[in-house]
Amino acid sequence: MSKLHRPLGTLSDERDPVRLTPDSAGWDYSGLRVLSLAAGESRLVRTGEYEAFVLPLSGACTVRVDGQVFALAGRDSVFTRVTDFAYVPRDAEVELSTVAGIEVALPMARCTRRLEPRYGPAENVPVEVRGAGQATRQVTNFGVPGVWDHADKLNACELITPGGNWSSYPPHKHDEASECEVVNEEIYYFRVAGRDGVTPSREGFGLHRTYTADGELDEDVAVRDGDVFLIPRGYHGPCVAAPGYPMYYLNVLAGPADERSMAFCDDPAHGWVRETWNDQELDPRCPVTSHEGRVS
């Protein structure tokens, strides 16, 4: 069994579907929690040495931290809308409460600076259509440098890949400081829609590849709804959504650089593919969502 692929159920339980710290991942910075709260439930989360985003996956919640209150409208599913979110600092007590129930992700990064809590409106989140042809996908840049600069180490974004399409392609890496890349540990958290294209389901699946030039890592795995894959180093991509099953993933990145960056290098064997996109049409299924709801 792969040490990098963590299927649903191997990282926690139904109440906390994902509880991944840098220590349990075997690295230094990136982490992720996914919490499930029932209708009327409240949970207290102590951030400790981690900064985090509070990102609704399904449902709405109220966030109370440092005397501030943020009402997150959320969404029905990751395939229906771009959501609002909150940033919460290290060394904080964060109360999450919900009226109707929520599943919420907390992408995290170990950091040293303590910043103020802040609200991120959905209407301010840029949605990018990247690639072309069968490599067309949606990138939702809610927590990336240049868009969200209120973080010490934490970077995060969301992707939606229509069924049958490829994303995270060409394969790329960010495991050393060089002219084109910085060091980042990366988490992929997958959600896969069922037959209706909206409701997450374990029925569907996708494929993910991670490898190194020296062959020490060489993994091709099937991923299903709720799975996690860890990228400590090496080239990663593609992620392929099986026909009929749209794929979402949340990327969480953090590393030792003094300034946040998501810079990467393509695998030189496949980087040429980017040039072919100039002559291809975009898949009309993208963008899939906006802050107003489903687009296509």
Side-chain angles (χ1 to χ4, degrees), residues 178-244:
S178 70
E179 293 183 359
C180 66
E181 66 184 297
V182 297
V183 178
N184 272 321
E185 307 156 350
E186 184 168 12
I187 299 166
Y188 277 67
Y189 171 63
F190 293 93
R191 305 307 303 262
V192 180
R195 300 185 189 191
D196 64 2
V198 170
T199 308
S201 168
R202 295 282 289 180
E203 176 185 26
F205 67 97
L207 303 174
H208 173 86
R209 175 160 171 74
T210 289
Y211 62 97
T212 53
D214 61 11
E216 185 172 339
L217 292 180
D218 191 0
E219 300 205 16
D220 301 280
V221 299
V223 292
R224 286 182 164 80
D225 184 65
D227 288 5
V228 169
F229 199 94
L230 307 179
I231 315 290
R233 64 189 183 92
Y235 295 106
H236 37 288
C239 291
V240 186

Side-chain angles (χ1 to χ4, degrees), residues 136-191:
T136 309
R137 63 272 198 179
Q138 171 179 324
V139 183
T140 305
N141 291 308
F142 75 93
V144 305
V147 172
W148 184 269
D149 293 327
H150 189 72
D152 186 20
K153 295 288 187 183
L154 180 59
N155 307 283
C157 63
E158 302 176 296
L159 286 89
I160 298 178
T161 309
N165 281 14
W166 295 41
S167 57
S168 286
Y169 194 76
H172 57 281
K173 73 180 185 75
H174 37 75
D175 56 16
E176 59 183 335
S178 70
E179 293 183 359
C180 66
E181 66 184 297
V182 297
V183 178
N184 272 321
E185 307 156 350
E186 184 168 12
I187 299 166
Y188 277 67
Y189 171 63
F190 293 93
R191 305 307 303 262

